[in-house]
Amino acid sequence: MVPPRATATPNRVLRQLAGLTLPGYTYGMKTAISLPDAIFEQAERLARRLKKSRSELYREAVAEYVARHDPEAVTEAMNRVAGQVETRLDAFSAAAARGVLERSEW
C-alpha cells in the first residue's frame, strides 16, 4: 500500500488506510493531449449532457476506441454473441441456402 500523502485530508487518509478505493481525477495515469477547439467543445457539451467529468468521458472514449480496434477483442465479443444466439437453420432456410450455393460459381 502507498503511504498517504502529507497533504491528504484526514478522511482521505482514513479511507486509504482502510484499503478503500479512492475515485477521483488523480486515479490512473495522467496524460496531456491536444485537441482541435471544435472537438474539445463537442466533448465538453457531451460530458455536460451525460453528467460526466471530462476525464471520465475521455477514459470511456479511449477504452471504446481501443476495444474496437483490437482484433482479438472484436473476435471474442463476436464469439460471445454467437454463443448466445441460435445458429441452426430451420429446414426452409437450409434449403434456400443450399439452393443459392448450388447456383453460385466457386
Side-chain angles (χ1 to χ4, degrees):
M1 179 171 70
V2 177
R5 295 187 344 202
T7 58
T9 62
N11 286 338
R12 185 172 276 252
V13 171
L14 290 175
R15 286 191 308 242
Q16 190 171 1
L17 290 174
L20 300 174
T21 303
L22 299 174
Y25 74 94
T26 58
Y27 175 76
M29 176 64 64
K30 284 189 170 191
T31 303
I33 62 170
S34 298
L35 297 172
D37 291 342
I39 293 175
F40 177 80
E41 290 301 325
Q42 290 173 331
E44 288 291 293
R45 285 193 300 274
L46 180 60
R48 280 193 301 272
R49 191 180 78 215
L50 297 176
K51 295 180 172 54
K52 295 182 181 215
S53 70
R54 184 184 308 140
S55 291
E56 190 175 10
L57 179 77
Y58 292 168
R59 181 173 47 251
E60 290 175 5
V62 170
E64 182 179 320
Y65 186 89
V66 168
R68 201 175 329 143
H69 289 81
D70 180 358
E72 290 178 18
V74 171
T75 301
E76 289 172 13
M78 291 181 76
N79 287 340
R80 278 193 307 274
V81 170
Q84 298 171 358
V85 174
E86 178 61 51
T87 57
R88 286 179 280 163
L89 293 176
D90 59 76
F92 174 79
S93 298
R98 192 172 19 265
V100 168
L101 288 174
E102 288 170 355
R103 290 189 304 272
S104 299
E105 284 189 39
W106 288 77

